[in-house]
Amino acid sequence: MKGASKADNSFFYMVKGVACILVIFIHCIFPGILGKDIQALSRFSVLYFFVISGRYLLSGIPSDASPSIIRKRMALKIRHMLAVTLGLTALYNIYSIIVAVIYGYGVKDLVTQKYNLHELWLLLMFNSGKIIYDYTYDIDHLWYLYAVLYVFVLIYIFAGVAKKWSGFLTFFFTGMLFFAELLQLYYPIRPFDISIRTWYVVRNWLFEGIPFIMGGVWLDTAVNDNRDSKASNMVRRIVDSCSTGANAHRNRLLLYVLIALGAAMSILEYRRFGEMTVYLGSVVIICAIMLLGEAYGKPGSNFKAISPLCHLGKDLSASVYYYHIMIISIISRSLYVFEENTIYMWFKPVIAAVASVLVSEMIFRIKFCMKRGMESKA
């Protein structure tokens, strides 16, 4: 590894590989209390995707750069994200209609439930609603894409202060997130006449997208722009102490201990408070992972990558996230007769993970062959 660019930070790619599998274990749960513990532990994975997207979003652009430079890059990002988001929304809606036809649910009833002003409002306001989920697959995982798209648009609009305000936005909205979770636990108010305990009131672009994407942007400014603040200076000292020097190995080990501590915290938080949008332990895990990644990205770190895991994170993780809900739905409908079989239920998340990786590998190879064919004709 020669630097901390996205192209060669194998550690970050490996974590993406692990994270995309853990997302499946959030949505396809192992039986019993162990399954819930694994689900709680896995919650950090979505936060990681937010943070890592922010980490490289404006990388290479100086903090004092003209807003037009940032807007030029963000316009390309927005165009790509818009195409992916709308394309997957259309794909999942087509899947819903196909399932409704095959199983005789009634297409008219499905369309009536999904396509109305209330569901459109939920999508635009909270990145949720039946436009992106219904009884044919139940889980609105596309909320993540809408949240990313919203934050990209906001960065485009406020390009002149995006990097400057990144630290404030990270800490302010993270504080708001945990304050909202306290309200969920102890004072369940009803904003917009919707209980704050409803999952999408807190899990959306405002409370997750902004703080964690901007957290990645802030980390980039701290590490690469030599931002002058106490927090930025502390981050650089930690990264330097974990990358080189006599105590680097020991310091990295401490960060791995911090990851284990965050995992334990997440499980304990679940057992004490139940299911939450974001656990404090998840944030601890994210902080440790990002510091480790920055340290391993420094010259001379001698990090030994696991190639298959890098390939999973770099080339397949996006497709795994995009399609795993559809794959879980197909497995559930195809093998529903085994749903009461305990052995099958233990294997079901593994089957879903393997199937998602195989489908993503197939998509990757098709794209690779098509690209190579186009290059040979050029």
Side-chain angles (χ1 to χ4, degrees):
M1 296 175 62
K2 298 179 181 179
S5 69
K6 190 175 182 180
D8 59 18
N9 197 317
S10 300
F11 179 80
F12 282 147
Y13 281 133
M14 287 173 58
V15 176
K16 282 185 72 176
V18 173
C20 75
I21 300 301
L22 292 181
V23 167
I24 297 174
F25 295 159
I26 294 175
H27 298 142
C28 189
I29 307 171
F30 290 99
I33 186 65
L34 179 60
K36 288 293 187 178
D37 287 345
I38 294 173
Q39 184 186 49
L41 167 61
S42 302
R43 291 281 180 193
F44 84 89
S45 54
V46 177
L47 304 184
Y48 176 74
F49 285 124
F50 277 129
V51 175
I52 204 67
S53 66
R55 168 62 181 84
Y56 293 101
L57 188 62
L58 302 178
S59 184
I61 299 178
S63 295
D64 57 353
S66 168
S68 62
I69 297 175
I70 293 177
R71 288 195 176 104
K72 183 178 180 181
R73 178 178 294 187
M74 292 312 302
L76 296 174
K77 298 285 187 180
I78 291 168
R79 192 178 301 124
H80 171 74
M81 185 57 61
L82 184 63
V84 170
T85 303
L86 295 182
L88 286 167
T89 300
L91 177 64
Y92 272 89
N93 277 267
I94 292 170
Y95 173 77
S96 293
I97 293 172
I98 291 173
V99 171
V101 170
I102 291 175
Y103 289 91
Y105 292 150
V107 174
K108 185 177 179 179
D109 290 339
L110 178 69
V111 170
T112 302
Q113 291 180 30
K114 287 174 71 70
Y115 309 119
N116 55 67
L117 289 178
H118 176 67
E119 298 303 328
L120 179 61
W121 180 78
L122 289 178
L123 177 62
L124 296 178
M125 187 71 178
F126 298 109
N127 311 135
S128 188
K130 293 180 181 177
I131 292 176
I132 58 173
Y133 82 96
D134 53 56
Y135 54 76
T136 63
Y137 56 90
D138 293 331
I139 299 168
D140 58 341
H141 74 301
L142 297 183
W143 80 272
Y144 167 82
L145 300 180
Y146 282 91
V148 171
L149 179 61
Y150 276 36
V151 178
F152 282 8
V153 171
L154 289 172
I155 292 174
Y156 179 89
I157 295 171
F158 299 102
V161 292
K163 283 199 165 189
K164 181 180 179 181
W165 289 1
S166 59
F168 167 76
L169 293 171
T170 299
F171 293 104
F172 176 78
F173 281 101
T174 300
M176 291 295 292
L177 166 65
F178 284 110
F179 177 69
E181 290 194 325
L182 285 174
L183 291 177
Q184 287 180 322
L185 290 171
Y186 301 112
Y187 196 79
I189 60 174
R190 295 183 62 84
F192 305 102
D193 200 31
I194 303 172
S195 172
I196 197 171
R197 288 177 174 171
T198 306
W199 75 94
Y200 53 71
V201 175
V202 175
R203 189 225 60 187
N204 52 55
W205 62 275
L206 183 65
F207 290 112
E208 282 198 58
I210 288 178
F212 292 102
I213 290 178
M214 297 312 295
V217 173
W218 177 80
L219 179 63
D220 172 50
T221 65
V223 173
N224 296 319
D225 292 354
N226 291 320
R227 187 169 183 159
D228 187 18
S229 68
K230 291 182 179 180
S232 298
N233 293 335
M234 181 181 69
V235 166
R236 286 193 293 273
R237 285 197 299 270
I238 293 173
V239 170
D240 289 341
S241 69
C242 292
S243 58
T244 56
N247 296 321
H249 178 74
R250 183 202 65 184
N251 294 336
R252 289 196 298 267
L253 184 61
L254 291 175
L255 290 179
Y256 280 110
V257 171
L258 197 60
I259 292 174
L261 175 62
M265 288 174 60
S266 298
I267 294 171
L268 291 173
E269 287 175 75
Y270 161 71
R271 294 198 178 189
R272 174 62 181 84
F273 302 111
E275 291 187 21
M276 303 293 293
T277 301
V278 174
Y279 296 110
L280 181 60
S282 297
V283 177
V284 172
I285 293 172
I286 291 297
C287 291
I289 285 174
M290 297 309 295
L291 291 171
L292 272 171
E294 296 297 342
Y296 283 132
K298 291 287 186 178
S301 66
N302 297 320
F303 176 69
K304 295 181 180 179
I306 303 174
S307 296
L309 200 53
C310 284
H311 171 58
L312 176 60
K314 180 180 180 181
D315 302 316
L316 309 184
S317 59
S319 292
V320 169
Y321 186 87
Y322 297 161
Y323 304 114
H324 76 279
I325 295 299
M326 188 180 296
I327 291 169
I328 291 171
S329 175
I330 292 171
I331 291 171
S332 297
R333 295 184 180 280
S334 302
L335 303 176
Y336 69 93
V337 295
F338 300 109
E339 290 290 325
E340 295 184 3
N341 185 295
T342 303
I343 296 176
Y344 165 73
M345 294 305 293
W346 276 104
F347 277 100
K348 183 181 176 182
V350 179
I351 294 170
V354 171
S356 298
V357 171
L358 291 176
V359 169
S360 300
E361 180 69 28
M362 181 180 67
I363 293 171
F364 170 74
R365 290 181 181 272
I366 290 172
K367 288 181 177 179
F368 179 78
C369 291
M370 290 176 62
K371 182 179 179 181
R372 188 167 59 180
M374 292 175 63
E375 289 175 349
S376 64
K377 291 180 182 179

